Amino acid sequence: MAGLKDIAAASGVSVRTVNRALKGNGYVGKDTRDRVLRAARELGYRPNRLARSLRMRRSFEVAVVAWSTDELHMARIAVLEQRLRPAELSVTVLLGSRHGSTGDQQGLLGETLARRPAGVALFFPPGGDVDRWVESCQQQGIPCVLIDPPEKMPASVRIDRQQGVYEAVLYLAQRGRSRIAYLGGQKDTTRLEGYHRAMSELGREPIYLDVTSVSDQTQAGRYAAELFLEMSPRPDGIQAYSDVMAMSLLAGLHEHAVRVPEDVAVVGFDDRQAASLAWPALTTVAQPNAGIGRAVADMLLETMPDPSVRLDEGICLPTRLVVRDST
Amino acid sequence: MAGLKDIAAASGVSVRTVNRALKGNGYVGKDTRDRVLRAARELGYRPNRLARSLRMRRSFEVAVVAWSTDELHMARIAVLEQRLRPAELSVTVLLGSRHGSTGDQQGLLGETLARRPAGVALFFPPGGDVDRWVESCQQQGIPCVLIDPPEKMPASVRIDRQQGVYEAVLYLAQRGRSRIAYLGGQKDTTRLEGYHRAMSELGREPIYLDVTSVSDQTQAGRYAAELFLEMSPRPDGIQAYSDVMAMSLLAGLHEHAVRVPEDVAVVGFDDRQAASLAWPALTTVAQPNAGIGRAVADMLLETMPDPSVRLDEGICLPTRLVVRDST
DNA sequence: TTGTAAGCGTTATCAC
DNA sequence: GTGATAACGCTTACAA
């Protein structure tokens, strides 16, 4: 494959001149430039990124560290990549396993650092041992942006799930639903807080379809349907923890001939592909995936020229209620 | 960051010796080796992949070129990555846009080649202009495996959709369904052929729920439901082109109080996440995603030592019928 | 306006 | 067993 040297030979100038002509950073005679450019084109020159990075002691790749190939993650990554491309940065996805040992995670950290990326976009790691990542990056002077940590953190992009649920519950109330229940476990605090906030604002007592005991989300909703049937009076609105739970709930309700939304309205959370495919099409709280991708890219771009710039403020993006047929 | 030179200095030997000790390829005195290894560990040495690749004139990255972040694609990529990791190969995903111009695609090809990857795993490109990719790779001596082309091709991994549909239709017949229809457009030949083969083997006339005119898959099923209602006698089994269409069909049927599977059985195709979440949980033809990932990895691994090895045979993987509640 | 040459961190060829 | 040393393809200080 053609290199600078080949072009130099072909156009009868030195390597340095070729470089200048190609990069346009120094003085080059017009004739010379044209000759060089043409030679480059004819030889099908493609700069060698490896050599370039080695010499410049920095790479032009952003490492995205993810722990699953979930569609929501991927949507964010796709936007991130689009946004980074104009800045001549390419994206490499490193996939860790969600259930990997601490050692595995350490290994992935090593691999990530070994690439000497221009920046790191880190999905919040399972186990939550985020400090090691952040510190290691800092040490190497690599900007690191954290995606969706559970709490407020510097250099992070979060999602306002609380507000999302809050708004959805208010929406249910506004549509005339008076007994609004929350379907989920008791561990996820943010969404639950949103529910509590809305309910207390409405002056109503919270109703729980508590599925803490069910570990499989795809079954949790069915279990909740049983709970629902035994209640009296029954809830007439349900905010679910996720679309998956909501759809499992729908299945359970259908089986007992409970009508949605006539008897009970259901709201999901996530807005995955499946939500619009559900029957009835699921009203749900959409995560701002594109917004996250953009925000992460912007933060990275902002810190990259000078990694000592500290982003002390993380940002928090709003969700969006997507109304479909289940409410 | 520590390099070979630092280790050499720290342990009082030459760079060459450090290299030998670390790589274990030449003779190194036991003492020396231990000293070097310890120094390396203490300095937290991480080989610089850039320098390594530059020197060895080959990279240790496989470029995966995909055109969407569809969950099926991602599942394949995840397995591919797992399989390549033990061979010290890492995976970089390059995302092209599905609706990009020819120029965009040309650009992506350039970018891919510029990385000088150890191999390329190429999802069949939109527009089908696969030759440019294959030839370019060949020219550079880069092994290239094609994922899921519509036709038999060398160095490709395909899915036997025909057989998948064939088996599903036979299964429906075996479960006592006598009027089995095909829901889909007329353009996709492979799946349709499978349907035709099964029907002719059963000695029955094909029944079409033809949605060629509907471009949006998420609406096609609803439209098909209207068609279904007007038929007499109505089909009692439907093989759909995809899970998405099948779920859209389910919605349409539910709205008209057609019972599934009592009145009509429905089979999807793809086995996406949504299929198991549908109501009723969708029986569907599962794509061999893991198998594809593995096969692509194996082909790549096989050709990589010597790119002149020609894989004249592509392989074709079987699907698997996943029986759930819709049949 | 152009050229020379050093060096980025490896690997690999030789000589000792 | 070990050590100089020359590449790999690029960028860039410094000379001319």
Side-chain angles (χ1 to χ4, degrees), chain A residues 3-4 16 19 23 45 48 51-52 55:
Chain A
L4 250 32
R16 180 68 184 95
N19 176 299
K23 282 284 168 17
Y45 172 71
N48 186 325
R52 187 168 136 86
R55 177 60 235 248

Side-chain angles (χ1 to χ4, degrees), chain B residues 71-77 79-80 159 270-272 286-295 317-318:
Chain B
E71 62 171 295
L72 303 175
H73 290 16
M74 286 304 157
R76 295 168 196 174
I77 295 175
V79 173
L80 174 66
I159 301 166
D270 286 342
D271 194 27
R272 20 186 103 239
Q287 299 205 22
N289 295 317
I292 291 174
R294 271 195 299 273
L317 298 174

Side-chain angles (χ1 to χ4, degrees), chain A residues 10 22 89 91-92 126 131 155 157 162 174 239 242 281 290 292:
Chain A
L22 256 34
L89 290 167
V91 163
T92 298
D131 290 348
V157 178
Q162 220 234 54
Q174 182 196 319
Q239 167 68 53
S242 68
I292 291 175

